[in-house]
Amino acid sequence: MRRLTSQIGQCGRQRLWQKALSLLHEAKHGRQQPNLVVYSAAINACGKSKQWEFAVGLLAEVSSVLLQPDEIAYNAAISACSSHESGSVSLHLLANMRRAMLKPNLVTYNASIHACATAPNF
C-alpha cells in the first residue's frame, strides 16, 4: 500500500487527478482493498486539481467500503471544497465530521472559512 499511496501522492503534486483515480480504481479491482491512507491521498490529489466533486465522492466511498473516514480524509475533502468556493458543501462535511465524533482542527476550520468566504452566493 505504501507504493500505491506514494504514486497517488505524486499524482496529486503533479495535478494528475485522473491518473490518481485510475490507480485507485486498479487497486480496488486488484488483490487488496485500498486502505484509508490511499483514499486520503486520492482525495487530496483531486482537491489539488480543483476536482472537489470527485474528492467529496471519494470521501463518501470510504464509508461504503467499510472504512471510517478520519480527520485527514475530511480535511482533504473540505480543502478541496475551499479551492472551488463550495461553502455549503464544506459546512455539510464539517457537520458530518462532528457527527462522526471526529474533532475538527485548525486546518478544518480554515478550509471551511475560506470556502464560505469565497463562495459567490453564500
mmCIF file with all atom_site columns, all heavy atoms in Angstrom, residues 45-70:
data_model
loop_
_atom_site.group_PDB
_atom_site.id
_atom_site.type_symbol
_atom_site.label_atom_id
_atom_site.label_alt_id
_atom_site.label_comp_id
_atom_site.label_asym_id
_atom_site.label_entity_id
_atom_site.label_seq_id
_atom_site.pdbx_PDB_ins_code
_atom_site.Cartn_x
_atom_site.Cartn_y
_atom_site.Cartn_z
_atom_site.occupancy
_atom_site.B_iso_or_equiv
_atom_site.pdbx_formal_charge
_atom_site.auth_seq_id
_atom_site.auth_comp_id
_atom_site.auth_asym_id
_atom_site.auth_atom_id
_atom_site.pdbx_PDB_model_num
ATOM 1   N N   . ALA A 1 45 ? -5.373  14.413 -3.986  1.00 0.00 ? 45 ALA A N   1
ATOM 2   C CA  . ALA A 1 45 ? -4.996  14.615 -5.393  1.00 0.00 ? 45 ALA A CA  1
ATOM 3   C C   . ALA A 1 45 ? -6.127  15.302 -6.155  1.00 0.00 ? 45 ALA A C   1
ATOM 4   O O   . ALA A 1 45 ? -5.886  16.217 -6.955  1.00 0.00 ? 45 ALA A O   1
ATOM 5   C CB  . ALA A 1 45 ? -4.649  13.279 -6.045  1.00 0.00 ? 45 ALA A CB  1
ATOM 6   N N   . CYS A 1 46 ? -7.350  14.896 -5.905  1.00 0.00 ? 46 CYS A N   1
ATOM 7   C CA  . CYS A 1 46 ? -8.500  15.539 -6.559  1.00 0.00 ? 46 CYS A CA  1
ATOM 8   C C   . CYS A 1 46 ? -8.632  16.985 -6.109  1.00 0.00 ? 46 CYS A C   1
ATOM 9   O O   . CYS A 1 46 ? -8.883  17.883 -6.921  1.00 0.00 ? 46 CYS A O   1
ATOM 10  C CB  . CYS A 1 46 ? -9.784  14.772 -6.266  1.00 0.00 ? 46 CYS A CB  1
ATOM 11  S SG  . CYS A 1 46 ? -9.867  13.169 -7.079  1.00 0.00 ? 46 CYS A SG  1
ATOM 12  N N   . GLY A 1 47 ? -8.442  17.224 -4.823  1.00 0.00 ? 47 GLY A N   1
ATOM 13  C CA  . GLY A 1 47 ? -8.547  18.577 -4.302  1.00 0.00 ? 47 GLY A CA  1
ATOM 14  C C   . GLY A 1 47 ? -7.503  19.509 -4.883  1.00 0.00 ? 47 GLY A C   1
ATOM 15  O O   . GLY A 1 47 ? -7.805  20.654 -5.240  1.00 0.00 ? 47 GLY A O   1
ATOM 16  N N   . LYS A 1 48 ? -6.278  19.033 -5.009  1.00 0.00 ? 48 LYS A N   1
ATOM 17  C CA  . LYS A 1 48 ? -5.218  19.869 -5.574  1.00 0.00 ? 48 LYS A CA  1
ATOM 18  C C   . LYS A 1 48 ? -5.482  20.212 -7.032  1.00 0.00 ? 48 LYS A C   1
ATOM 19  O O   . LYS A 1 48 ? -4.987  21.214 -7.532  1.00 0.00 ? 48 LYS A O   1
ATOM 20  C CB  . LYS A 1 48 ? -3.870  19.166 -5.440  1.00 0.00 ? 48 LYS A CB  1
ATOM 21  C CG  . LYS A 1 48 ? -3.346  19.177 -4.030  1.00 0.00 ? 48 LYS A CG  1
ATOM 22  C CD  . LYS A 1 48 ? -1.978  18.548 -3.945  1.00 0.00 ? 48 LYS A CD  1
ATOM 23  C CE  . LYS A 1 48 ? -1.455  18.683 -2.530  1.00 0.00 ? 48 LYS A CE  1
ATOM 24  N NZ  . LYS A 1 48 ? -0.076  18.205 -2.431  1.00 0.00 ? 48 LYS A NZ  1
ATOM 25  N N   . SER A 1 49 ? -6.259  19.377 -7.683  1.00 0.00 ? 49 SER A N   1
ATOM 26  C CA  . SER A 1 49 ? -6.604  19.626 -9.088  1.00 0.00 ? 49 SER A CA  1
ATOM 27  C C   . SER A 1 49 ? -7.950  20.328 -9.231  1.00 0.00 ? 49 SER A C   1
ATOM 28  O O   . SER A 1 49 ? -8.513  20.388 -10.322 1.00 0.00 ? 49 SER A O   1
ATOM 29  C CB  . SER A 1 49 ? -6.632  18.294 -9.852  1.00 0.00 ? 49 SER A CB  1
ATOM 30  O OG  . SER A 1 49 ? -5.370  17.681 -9.822  1.00 0.00 ? 49 SER A OG  1
ATOM 31  N N   . LYS A 1 50 ? -8.475  20.808 -8.109  1.00 0.00 ? 50 LYS A N   1
ATOM 32  C CA  . LYS A 1 50 ? -9.752  21.536 -8.088  1.00 0.00 ? 50 LYS A CA  1
ATOM 33  C C   . LYS A 1 50 ? -10.930 20.689 -8.562  1.00 0.00 ? 50 LYS A C   1
ATOM 34  O O   . LYS A 1 50 ? -11.876 21.182 -9.158  1.00 0.00 ? 50 LYS A O   1
ATOM 35  C CB  . LYS A 1 50 ? -9.659  22.840 -8.874  1.00 0.00 ? 50 LYS A CB  1
ATOM 36  C CG  . LYS A 1 50 ? -8.582  23.772 -8.349  1.00 0.00 ? 50 LYS A CG  1
ATOM 37  C CD  . LYS A 1 50 ? -8.583  25.081 -9.065  1.00 0.00 ? 50 LYS A CD  1
ATOM 38  C CE  . LYS A 1 50 ? -7.429  25.942 -8.676  1.00 0.00 ? 50 LYS A CE  1
ATOM 39  N NZ  . LYS A 1 50 ? -7.489  26.613 -7.454  1.00 0.00 ? 50 LYS A NZ  1
ATOM 40  N N   . GLN A 1 51 ? -10.862 19.412 -8.275  1.00 0.00 ? 51 GLN A N   1
ATOM 41  C CA  . GLN A 1 51 ? -11.938 18.473 -8.619  1.00 0.00 ? 51 GLN A CA  1
ATOM 42  C C   . GLN A 1 51 ? -12.684 18.108 -7.336  1.00 0.00 ? 51 GLN A C   1
ATOM 43  O O   . GLN A 1 51 ? -12.668 16.978 -6.878  1.00 0.00 ? 51 GLN A O   1
ATOM 44  C CB  . GLN A 1 51 ? -11.347 17.232 -9.303  1.00 0.00 ? 51 GLN A CB  1
ATOM 45  C CG  . GLN A 1 51 ? -10.595 17.527 -10.574 1.00 0.00 ? 51 GLN A CG  1
ATOM 46  C CD  . GLN A 1 51 ? -11.492 18.113 -11.639 1.00 0.00 ? 51 GLN A CD  1
ATOM 47  O OE1 . GLN A 1 51 ? -12.633 17.685 -11.824 1.00 0.00 ? 51 GLN A OE1 1
ATOM 48  N NE2 . GLN A 1 51 ? -10.980 19.110 -12.349 1.00 0.00 ? 51 GLN A NE2 1
ATOM 49  N N   . TRP A 1 52 ? -13.364 19.106 -6.746  1.00 0.00 ? 52 TRP A N   1
ATOM 50  C CA  . TRP A 1 52 ? -13.973 18.909 -5.444  1.00 0.00 ? 52 TRP A CA  1
ATOM 51  C C   . TRP A 1 52 ? -15.073 17.865 -5.462  1.00 0.00 ? 52 TRP A C   1
ATOM 52  O O   . TRP A 1 52 ? -15.269 17.142 -4.488  1.00 0.00 ? 52 TRP A O   1
ATOM 53  C CB  . TRP A 1 52 ? -14.474 20.235 -4.871  1.00 0.00 ? 52 TRP A CB  1
ATOM 54  C CG  . TRP A 1 52 ? -15.657 20.819 -5.566  1.00 0.00 ? 52 TRP A CG  1
ATOM 55  C CD1 . TRP A 1 52 ? -15.646 21.658 -6.638  1.00 0.00 ? 52 TRP A CD1 1
ATOM 56  C CD2 . TRP A 1 52 ? -17.028 20.598 -5.250  1.00 0.00 ? 52 TRP A CD2 1
ATOM 57  N NE1 . TRP A 1 52 ? -16.922 21.973 -7.008  1.00 0.00 ? 52 TRP A NE1 1
ATOM 58  C CE2 . TRP A 1 52 ? -17.793 21.344 -6.171  1.00 0.00 ? 52 TRP A CE2 1
ATOM 59  C CE3 . TRP A 1 52 ? -17.684 19.853 -4.276  1.00 0.00 ? 52 TRP A CE3 1
ATOM 60  C CZ2 . TRP A 1 52 ? -19.186 21.351 -6.141  1.00 0.00 ? 52 TRP A CZ2 1
ATOM 61  C CZ3 . TRP A 1 52 ? -19.071 19.863 -4.245  1.00 0.00 ? 52 TRP A CZ3 1
ATOM 62  C CH2 . TRP A 1 52 ? -19.803 20.611 -5.169  1.00 0.00 ? 52 TRP A CH2 1
ATOM 63  N N   . GLU A 1 53 ? -15.798 17.750 -6.578  1.00 0.00 ? 53 GLU A N   1
ATOM 64  C CA  . GLU A 1 53 ? -16.880 16.755 -6.631  1.00 0.00 ? 53 GLU A CA  1
ATOM 65  C C   . GLU A 1 53 ? -16.325 15.333 -6.487  1.00 0.00 ? 53 GLU A C   1
ATOM 66  O O   . GLU A 1 53 ? -16.900 14.498 -5.799  1.00 0.00 ? 53 GLU A O   1
ATOM 67  C CB  . GLU A 1 53 ? -17.661 16.858 -7.942  1.00 0.00 ? 53 GLU A CB  1
ATOM 68  C CG  . GLU A 1 53 ? -18.397 18.158 -8.129  1.00 0.00 ? 53 GLU A CG  1
ATOM 69  C CD  . GLU A 1 53 ? -17.638 19.126 -9.027  1.00 0.00 ? 53 GLU A CD  1
ATOM 70  O OE1 . GLU A 1 53 ? -16.395 19.028 -9.132  1.00 0.00 ? 53 GLU A OE1 1
ATOM 71  O OE2 . GLU A 1 53 ? -18.290 20.002 -9.618  1.00 0.00 ? 53 GLU A OE2 1
ATOM 72  N N   . PHE A 1 54 ? -15.194 15.076 -7.142  1.00 0.00 ? 54 PHE A N   1
ATOM 73  C CA  . PHE A 1 54 ? -14.571 13.761 -7.035  1.00 0.00 ? 54 PHE A CA  1
ATOM 74  C C   . PHE A 1 54 ? -14.021 13.528 -5.630  1.00 0.00 ? 54 PHE A C   1
ATOM 75  O O   . PHE A 1 54 ? -14.107 12.429 -5.101  1.00 0.00 ? 54 PHE A O   1
ATOM 76  C CB  . PHE A 1 54 ? -13.470 13.593 -8.081  1.00 0.00 ? 54 PHE A CB  1
ATOM 77  C CG  . PHE A 1 54 ? -13.993 13.417 -9.475  1.00 0.00 ? 54 PHE A CG  1
ATOM 78  C CD1 . PHE A 1 54 ? -14.034 14.481 -10.351 1.00 0.00 ? 54 PHE A CD1 1
ATOM 79  C CD2 . PHE A 1 54 ? -14.461 12.184 -9.908  1.00 0.00 ? 54 PHE A CD2 1
ATOM 80  C CE1 . PHE A 1 54 ? -14.519 14.332 -11.641 1.00 0.00 ? 54 PHE A CE1 1
ATOM 81  C CE2 . PHE A 1 54 ? -14.954 12.021 -11.193 1.00 0.00 ? 54 PHE A CE2 1
ATOM 82  C CZ  . PHE A 1 54 ? -14.987 13.100 -12.058 1.00 0.00 ? 54 PHE A CZ  1
ATOM 83  N N   . ALA A 1 55 ? -13.458 14.583 -5.037  1.00 0.00 ? 55 ALA A N   1
ATOM 84  C CA  . ALA A 1 55 ? -12.928 14.465 -3.678  1.00 0.00 ? 55 ALA A CA  1
ATOM 85  C C   . ALA A 1 55 ? -14.041 14.096 -2.695  1.00 0.00 ? 55 ALA A C   1
ATOM 86  O O   . ALA A 1 55 ? -13.890 13.178 -1.886  1.00 0.00 ? 55 ALA A O   1
ATOM 87  C CB  . ALA A 1 55 ? -12.251 15.772 -3.263  1.00 0.00 ? 55 ALA A CB  1
ATOM 88  N N   . VAL A 1 56 ? -15.156 14.789 -2.797  1.00 0.00 ? 56 VAL A N   1
ATOM 89  C CA  . VAL A 1 56 ? -16.288 14.514 -1.905  1.00 0.00 ? 56 VAL A CA  1
ATOM 90  C C   . VAL A 1 56 ? -16.863 13.122 -2.191  1.00 0.00 ? 56 VAL A C   1
ATOM 91  O O   . VAL A 1 56 ? -17.232 12.389 -1.271  1.00 0.00 ? 56 VAL A O   1
ATOM 92  C CB  . VAL A 1 56 ? -17.362 15.620 -2.036  1.00 0.00 ? 56 VAL A CB  1
ATOM 93  C CG1 . VAL A 1 56 ? -18.629 15.260 -1.270  1.00 0.00 ? 56 VAL A CG1 1
ATOM 94  C CG2 . VAL A 1 56 ? -16.808 16.950 -1.545  1.00 0.00 ? 56 VAL A CG2 1
ATOM 95  N N   . GLY A 1 57 ? -16.919 12.748 -3.447  1.00 0.00 ? 57 GLY A N   1
ATOM 96  C CA  . GLY A 1 57 ? -17.393 11.408 -3.809  1.00 0.00 ? 57 GLY A CA  1
ATOM 97  C C   . GLY A 1 57 ? -16.510 10.316 -3.230  1.00 0.00 ? 57 GLY A C   1
ATOM 98  O O   . GLY A 1 57 ? -17.007 9.282  -2.756  1.00 0.00 ? 57 GLY A O   1
ATOM 99  N N   . LEU A 1 58 ? -15.207 10.526 -3.254  1.00 0.00 ? 58 LEU A N   1
ATOM 100 C CA  . LEU A 1 58 ? -14.296 9.539  -2.667  1.00 0.00 ? 58 LEU A CA  1
ATOM 101 C C   . LEU A 1 58 ? -14.472 9.446  -1.162  1.00 0.00 ? 58 LEU A C   1
ATOM 102 O O   . LEU A 1 58 ? -14.402 8.353  -0.590  1.00 0.00 ? 58 LEU A O   1
ATOM 103 C CB  . LEU A 1 58 ? -12.843 9.873  -3.001  1.00 0.00 ? 58 LEU A CB  1
ATOM 104 C CG  . LEU A 1 58 ? -12.397 9.616  -4.430  1.00 0.00 ? 58 LEU A CG  1
ATOM 105 C CD1 . LEU A 1 58 ? -10.984 10.123 -4.653  1.00 0.00 ? 58 LEU A CD1 1
ATOM 106 C CD2 . LEU A 1 58 ? -12.483 8.132  -4.763  1.00 0.00 ? 58 LEU A CD2 1
ATOM 107 N N   . LEU A 1 59 ? -14.720 10.580 -0.520  1.00 0.00 ? 59 LEU A N   1
ATOM 108 C CA  . LEU A 1 59 ? -14.966 10.550 0.924   1.00 0.00 ? 59 LEU A CA  1
ATOM 109 C C   . LEU A 1 59 ? -16.201 9.708  1.225   1.00 0.00 ? 59 LEU A C   1
ATOM 110 O O   . LEU A 1 59 ? -16.197 8.898  2.158   1.00 0.00 ? 59 LEU A O   1
ATOM 111 C CB  . LEU A 1 59 ? -15.131 11.964 1.474   1.00 0.00 ? 59 LEU A CB  1
ATOM 112 C CG  . LEU A 1 59 ? -15.323 12.060 2.979   1.00 0.00 ? 59 LEU A CG  1
ATOM 113 C CD1 . LEU A 1 59 ? -14.075 11.599 3.721   1.00 0.00 ? 59 LEU A CD1 1
ATOM 114 C CD2 . LEU A 1 59 ? -15.674 13.488 3.375   1.00 0.00 ? 59 LEU A CD2 1
ATOM 115 N N   . ALA A 1 60 ? -17.246 9.860  0.427   1.00 0.00 ? 60 ALA A N   1
ATOM 116 C CA  . ALA A 1 60 ? -18.456 9.043  0.611   1.00 0.00 ? 60 ALA A CA  1
ATOM 117 C C   . ALA A 1 60 ? -18.158 7.574  0.343   1.00 0.00 ? 60 ALA A C   1
ATOM 118 O O   . ALA A 1 60 ? -18.680 6.684  1.024   1.00 0.00 ? 60 ALA A O   1
ATOM 119 C CB  . ALA A 1 60 ? -19.568 9.541  -0.309  1.00 0.00 ? 60 ALA A CB  1
ATOM 120 N N   . GLU A 1 61 ? -17.324 7.320  -0.651  1.00 0.00 ? 61 GLU A N   1
ATOM 121 C CA  . GLU A 1 61 ? -16.975 5.934  -0.990  1.00 0.00 ? 61 GLU A CA  1
ATOM 122 C C   . GLU A 1 61 ? -16.230 5.242  0.144   1.00 0.00 ? 61 GLU A C   1
ATOM 123 O O   . GLU A 1 61 ? -16.380 4.035  0.340   1.00 0.00 ? 61 GLU A O   1
ATOM 124 C CB  . GLU A 1 61 ? -16.114 5.925  -2.254  1.00 0.00 ? 61 GLU A CB  1
ATOM 125 C CG  . GLU A 1 61 ? -15.828 4.551  -2.782  1.00 0.00 ? 61 GLU A CG  1
ATOM 126 C CD  . GLU A 1 61 ? -15.043 4.596  -4.078  1.00 0.00 ? 61 GLU A CD  1
ATOM 127 O OE1 . GLU A 1 61 ? -15.406 5.380  -4.981  1.00 0.00 ? 61 GLU A OE1 1
ATOM 128 O OE2 . GLU A 1 61 ? -14.058 3.852  -4.180  1.00 0.00 ? 61 GLU A OE2 1
ATOM 129 N N   . VAL A 1 62 ? -15.454 5.994  0.893   1.00 0.00 ? 62 VAL A N   1
ATOM 130 C CA  . VAL A 1 62 ? -14.697 5.423  2.014   1.00 0.00 ? 62 VAL A CA  1
ATOM 131 C C   . VAL A 1 62 ? -15.650 4.675  2.952   1.00 0.00 ? 62 VAL A C   1
ATOM 132 O O   . VAL A 1 62 ? -15.397 3.536  3.338   1.00 0.00 ? 62 VAL A O   1
ATOM 133 C CB  . VAL A 1 62 ? -13.919 6.523  2.772   1.00 0.00 ? 62 VAL A CB  1
ATOM 134 C CG1 . VAL A 1 62 ? -13.403 6.014  4.103   1.00 0.00 ? 62 VAL A CG1 1
ATOM 135 C CG2 . VAL A 1 62 ? -12.764 7.028  1.922   1.00 0.00 ? 62 VAL A CG2 1
ATOM 136 N N   . SER A 1 63 ? -16.743 5.298  3.298   1.00 0.00 ? 63 SER A N   1
ATOM 137 C CA  . SER A 1 63 ? -17.712 4.654  4.191   1.00 0.00 ? 63 SER A CA  1
ATOM 138 C C   . SER A 1 63 ? -18.366 3.449  3.547   1.00 0.00 ? 63 SER A C   1
ATOM 139 O O   . SER A 1 63 ? -18.678 2.464  4.221   1.00 0.00 ? 63 SER A O   1
ATOM 140 C CB  . SER A 1 63 ? -18.793 5.657  4.604   1.00 0.00 ? 63 SER A CB  1
ATOM 141 O OG  . SER A 1 63 ? -18.228 6.679  5.363   1.00 0.00 ? 63 SER A OG  1
ATOM 142 N N   . SER A 1 64 ? -18.567 3.495  2.236   1.00 0.00 ? 64 SER A N   1
ATOM 143 C CA  . SER A 1 64 ? -19.231 2.386  1.562   1.00 0.00 ? 64 SER A CA  1
ATOM 144 C C   . SER A 1 64 ? -18.362 1.135  1.482   1.00 0.00 ? 64 SER A C   1
ATOM 145 O O   . SER A 1 64 ? -18.870 0.051  1.251   1.00 0.00 ? 64 SER A O   1
ATOM 146 C CB  . SER A 1 64 ? -19.695 2.796  0.160   1.00 0.00 ? 64 SER A CB  1
ATOM 147 O OG  . SER A 1 64 ? -18.598 2.902  -0.712  1.00 0.00 ? 64 SER A OG  1
ATOM 148 N N   . VAL A 1 65 ? -17.051 1.304  1.672   1.00 0.00 ? 65 VAL A N   1
ATOM 149 C CA  . VAL A 1 65 ? -16.158 0.133  1.669   1.00 0.00 ? 65 VAL A CA  1
ATOM 150 C C   . VAL A 1 65 ? -15.758 -0.233 3.097   1.00 0.00 ? 65 VAL A C   1
ATOM 151 O O   . VAL A 1 65 ? -14.738 -0.867 3.333   1.00 0.00 ? 65 VAL A O   1
ATOM 152 C CB  . VAL A 1 65 ? -14.914 0.339  0.773   1.00 0.00 ? 65 VAL A CB  1
ATOM 153 C CG1 . VAL A 1 65 ? -15.300 0.485  -0.675  1.00 0.00 ? 65 VAL A CG1 1
ATOM 154 C CG2 . VAL A 1 65 ? -14.065 1.504  1.241   1.00 0.00 ? 65 VAL A CG2 1
ATOM 155 N N   . LEU A 1 66 ? -16.596 0.179  4.034   1.00 0.00 ? 66 LEU A N   1
ATOM 156 C CA  . LEU A 1 66 ? -16.462 -0.175 5.447   1.00 0.00 ? 66 LEU A CA  1
ATOM 157 C C   . LEU A 1 66 ? -15.214 0.380  6.112   1.00 0.00 ? 66 LEU A C   1
ATOM 158 O O   . LEU A 1 66 ? -14.652 -0.228 7.009   1.00 0.00 ? 66 LEU A O   1
ATOM 159 C CB  . LEU A 1 66 ? -16.528 -1.705 5.628   1.00 0.00 ? 66 LEU A CB  1
ATOM 160 C CG  . LEU A 1 66 ? -17.775 -2.376 5.068   1.00 0.00 ? 66 LEU A CG  1
ATOM 161 C CD1 . LEU A 1 66 ? -17.697 -3.880 5.240   1.00 0.00 ? 66 LEU A CD1 1
ATOM 162 C CD2 . LEU A 1 66 ? -19.028 -1.821 5.725   1.00 0.00 ? 66 LEU A CD2 1
ATOM 163 N N   . LEU A 1 67 ? -14.784 1.545  5.664   1.00 0.00 ? 67 LEU A N   1
ATOM 164 C CA  . LEU A 1 67 ? -13.714 2.266  6.346   1.00 0.00 ? 67 LEU A CA  1
ATOM 165 C C   . LEU A 1 67 ? -14.326 3.482  7.024   1.00 0.00 ? 67 LEU A C   1
ATOM 166 O O   . LEU A 1 67 ? -15.307 4.035  6.540   1.00 0.00 ? 67 LEU A O   1
ATOM 167 C CB  . LEU A 1 67 ? -12.648 2.727  5.343   1.00 0.00 ? 67 LEU A CB  1
ATOM 168 C CG  . LEU A 1 67 ? -11.851 1.644  4.629   1.00 0.00 ? 67 LEU A CG  1
ATOM 169 C CD1 . LEU A 1 67 ? -10.983 2.263  3.544   1.00 0.00 ? 67 LEU A CD1 1
ATOM 170 C CD2 . LEU A 1 67 ? -10.995 0.864  5.611   1.00 0.00 ? 67 LEU A CD2 1
ATOM 171 N N   . GLN A 1 68 ? -13.759 3.893  8.128   1.00 0.00 ? 68 GLN A N   1
ATOM 172 C CA  . GLN A 1 68 ? -14.237 5.079  8.834   1.00 0.00 ? 68 GLN A CA  1
ATOM 173 C C   . GLN A 1 68 ? -13.344 6.253  8.457   1.00 0.00 ? 68 GLN A C   1
ATOM 174 O O   . GLN A 1 68 ? -12.161 6.241  8.761   1.00 0.00 ? 68 GLN A O   1
ATOM 175 C CB  . GLN A 1 68 ? -14.188 4.844  10.353  1.00 0.00 ? 68 GLN A CB  1
ATOM 176 C CG  . GLN A 1 68 ? -14.556 6.053  11.182  1.00 0.00 ? 68 GLN A CG  1
ATOM 177 C CD  . GLN A 1 68 ? -15.974 6.528  10.957  1.00 0.00 ? 68 GLN A CD  1
ATOM 178 O OE1 . GLN A 1 68 ? -16.885 5.738  10.877  1.00 0.00 ? 68 GLN A OE1 1
ATOM 179 N NE2 . GLN A 1 68 ? -16.152 7.825  10.849  1.00 0.00 ? 68 GLN A NE2 1
ATOM 180 N N   . PRO A 1 69 ? -13.900 7.258  7.767   1.00 0.00 ? 69 PRO A N   1
ATOM 181 C CA  . PRO A 1 69 ? -13.071 8.422  7.435   1.00 0.00 ? 69 PRO A CA  1
ATOM 182 C C   . PRO A 1 69 ? -12.503 9.071  8.694   1.00 0.00 ? 69 PRO A C   1
ATOM 183 O O   . PRO A 1 69 ? -13.170 9.124  9.722   1.00 0.00 ? 69 PRO A O   1
ATOM 184 C CB  . PRO A 1 69 ? -14.039 9.379  6.741   1.00 0.00 ? 69 PRO A CB  1
ATOM 185 C CG  . PRO A 1 69 ? -15.197 8.545  6.327   1.00 0.00 ? 69 PRO A CG  1
ATOM 186 C CD  . PRO A 1 69 ? -15.278 7.412  7.304   1.00 0.00 ? 69 PRO A CD  1
ATOM 187 N N   . ASP A 1 70 ? -11.279 9.540  8.609   1.00 0.00 ? 70 ASP A N   1
ATOM 188 C CA  . ASP A 1 70 ? -10.657 10.224 9.737   1.00 0.00 ? 70 ASP A CA  1
ATOM 189 C C   . ASP A 1 70 ? -10.517 11.716 9.441   1.00 0.00 ? 70 ASP A C   1
ATOM 190 O O   . ASP A 1 70 ? -10.986 12.194 8.401   1.00 0.00 ? 70 ASP A O   1
ATOM 191 C CB  . ASP A 1 70 ? -9.306  9.591  10.083  1.00 0.00 ? 70 ASP A CB  1
ATOM 192 C CG  . ASP A 1 70 ? -8.286  9.709  8.959   1.00 0.00 ? 70 ASP A CG  1
ATOM 193 O OD1 . ASP A 1 70 ? -8.587  10.316 7.901   1.00 0.00 ? 70 ASP A OD1 1
ATOM 194 O OD2 . ASP A 1 70 ? -7.172  9.182  9.128   1.00 0.00 ? 70 ASP A OD2 1
#
